[in-house]
Amino acid sequence: MYMKVNSEKFKKVSRLLLTVSLAMGLFACEDDTQTDSFSTKDVPELLELSQAQKDVLAYLPTNIIIAHRGTEFWAPEESEAAMRWARNMGADYIECDLQKTADGVILALHDESLLRTTNVETIYPNRENDYVSSFTYDELLKLDIGSWFNEANPEQARESFVGLDILTLDDVLMIAEGKRIKRNPDGTRVVERDENGNYLRTVYEDDPADNGNRPGVYIETKSPSLFPNMEEALRACLEEHGWYAENINDLKTIAYKDGQPGEVDIANTPARIILQTFEPTGLVRMHEVFTRPIPTLYLFGDSAGPASYARYINFAIENGATIMGPNIDYIEGYPSSIEPWQRDMIRKTGMHIHCWSFNTQEQYMEYCGPWQDSAGQGGPEFNAVDGGFTNRTDLALRFYKETLQGYADQGRNYFRSNAHVGMPDNIHAAKTMRIPQDVLEELGY
Ligand code: G3P
Ligand code: CA
């Protein structure tokens, strides 16, 4: 199990290195040198955002907390437990990655392989190395995505995580709407089937623990070579749920529990979906398929010099992105791609910045903290982050609600105004701080 966890880390570092190499191939500039002082020669002019991009930014809130894979820390990643937990904790967005099954079901699953997060070796011993895309959803429903987490995280382990099943994108959207999966007494999900017995859809029910929160859903497409038409399938799924519409006025209104809104309601705004990808081709396809532009993040992890960095930004702008997604310094030995000069370059364009991935208060302080301003006055323009992916929604809330608010109470404003989207500057100030384990108990885990 230890090997698997490390192999995920290894994969992440390899992907970062690959991104760097890609960038060098795509946007290479001989004047970029990684020395103490970067060359600023041949830095291209930064492009202007289109009116459509400005329109998107006009409804995008800031200082958002994005629950990375639901949560990796407190529950098995991208499981029903993780997503319900993040919703009830007060995350503004629940994040998922997309894979697709052989029978076309869109999954909320990070890896192309089942080895790291399931018991595939036991259930399908001859297929353990196969792509997830070679399995039908019915086959995947036999796998357990909770046990590996219990083994890898004994302090967070819960018996009730054993047997959790792989989620679909439908599941994530329904959880964001305050529902849960309807289950049989043995824990298997209630599903509808066609006349041949094939899986059609899952049945949902009101979540008795729903506290009225309606987070947005932050969706990452992966592996464009495996899933060339994922963007079309994604758009169709979102349209079916009323989460995307060609006309913004046709988006569904999502009901609250007993008519009472909770503390998060981004799902009832046009910012309800944010798309993200590391893949240049993925970004191009999103731009083509989502004909009404919606908030879109271009992810990258690149410590290259100003010319390459500017080319990344311009590529993103040309292809409809409204947010840049650099990494903070969170993998040992791999530098952040959001140093002050990089932050300034993105800020100049007016794009937002959502960084990945925050695990500690110290990281929040480093990238959003009061000393970002050399004059000591603070101010949102000095922060590197408009939103952060985090595995610790609980710590993120504490940072925004209490730690940073403490400085705001001293007369400094560290928040970018959300007034233009009808939200207070600090969208977390009024949220309830819940104990993570208590939320899991309240959800029945
Ligand atoms: O999606 C945001 C960022 O964390 C990407 O990394 O590997 O978790 O999808 P990953
Ligand atoms: Ca992701």
Side-chain angles (χ1 to χ4, degrees), residues 68-69 78 95-97 110 220 222 276 278 299 389:
H68 182 234
R69 308 187 200 176
E78 311 209 23
E95 194 250 357
C96 65
D97 306 283
H110 185 272
E220 181 179 351
K222 293 198 179 283
Q276 48 164 335
F278 277 102
L299 288 159
F389 295 84

Side-chain angles (χ1 to χ4, degrees), residues 20-90:
V20 173
S21 330
L22 257 178
M24 292 170 98
L26 280 172
F27 314 124
C29 168
E30 61 273 17
D31 292 302
D32 277 0
T33 46
Q34 271 201 262
T35 61
D36 285 342
S37 55
F38 287 110
S39 163
T40 51
K41 200 167 168 239
D42 291 340
V43 178
E45 275 291 295
L46 291 169
L47 296 176
E48 283 234 359
L49 297 178
S50 67
Q51 189 53 49
Q53 284 164 313
K54 289 177 187 166
D55 292 346
V56 167
L57 286 167
Y59 62 69
L60 198 59
T62 58
N63 296 311
I64 53 171
I65 296 172
I66 306 152
H68 182 234
R69 308 187 200 176
T71 172
E72 280 190 1
F73 185 82
W74 290 107
E77 64 182 60
E78 311 209 23
S79 67
E80 188 177 22
M83 296 297 175
R84 291 171 74 214
W85 177 88
R87 179 196 66 203
N88 276 25
M89 273 304 287

Side-chain angles (χ1 to χ4, degrees), residues 268-288:
N268 271 312
T269 75
R272 62 187 68 191
I273 291 289
I274 304 182
L275 303 177
Q276 48 164 335
T277 185
F278 277 102
E279 308 285 348
T281 53
L283 190 67
V284 171
R285 297 285 292 121
M286 283 171 181
H287 193 39
E288 285 168 1

Side-chain angles (χ1 to χ4, degrees), residues 87-270:
R87 179 196 66 203
N88 276 25
M89 273 304 287
D92 300 299
Y93 287 85
I94 51 181
E95 194 250 357
C96 65
D97 306 283
L98 301 189
Q99 305 284 335
K100 202 168 7 155
T101 64
D103 52 337
V105 177
I106 305 179
L107 304 173
L109 185 71
H110 185 272
D111 297 3
E112 292 164 7
S113 155
L114 294 158
L115 272 172
R116 183 178 61 89
T117 60
T118 79
N119 56 345
V120 66
E121 287 152 300
T122 310
I123 307 294
Y124 300 110
N126 300 320
R127 301 171 67 190
E128 61 189 55
N129 292 310
D130 292 359
Y131 283 128
V132 64
S133 53
S134 70
F135 291 80
T136 65
Y137 190 51
D138 268 331
E139 288 174 327
L140 294 181
L141 281 176
K142 296 190 170 54
L143 300 179
D144 165 9
I145 65 167
S147 294
W148 77 274
F149 175 89
N150 283 351
E151 280 177 49
N153 305 280
E155 292 194 6
Q156 277 75 251
R158 285 173 184 254
E159 191 52 37
S160 53
F161 291 158
V162 175
L164 285 170
D165 51 17
I166 294 179
L167 294 191
T168 66
L169 177 60
D170 291 323
D171 297 341
V172 177
L173 293 166
M174 294 305 284
I175 291 167
E177 292 191 22
K179 307 288 182 191
R180 72 174 183 183
I181 296 167
K182 189 168 183 176
R183 295 197 180 268
N184 297 304
D186 66 357
T188 56
R189 59 173 68 200
V190 176
V191 302
E192 292 176 9
R193 300 185 174 281
D194 67 14
E195 61 279 12
N196 300 316
N198 297 318
Y199 174 87
L200 275 180
R201 63 185 70 83
T202 291
V203 179
Y204 303 94
E205 62 185 9
D206 287 343
D207 189 336
D210 170 27
N211 61 359
N213 284 352
R214 298 292 177 262
V217 178
Y218 211 125
I219 301 171
E220 181 179 351
T221 60
K222 293 198 179 283
S223 320
S225 55
L226 282 178
F227 307 117
N229 299 314
M230 182 63 98
E231 291 75 13
E232 282 87 347
L234 170 60
R235 176 178 161 155
C237 177
L238 295 175
E239 280 179 323
E240 196 177 312
H241 284 270
W243 282 66
Y244 176 82
E246 192 59 45
N247 185 327
I248 215 164
N249 298 316
D250 294 337
L251 292 170
K252 178 167 79 181
T253 299
I254 297 160
Y256 308 115
K257 186 180 187 179
D258 304 324
Q260 290 298 313
E263 295 168 346
V264 178
D265 200 20
I266 288 179
N268 271 312
T269 75

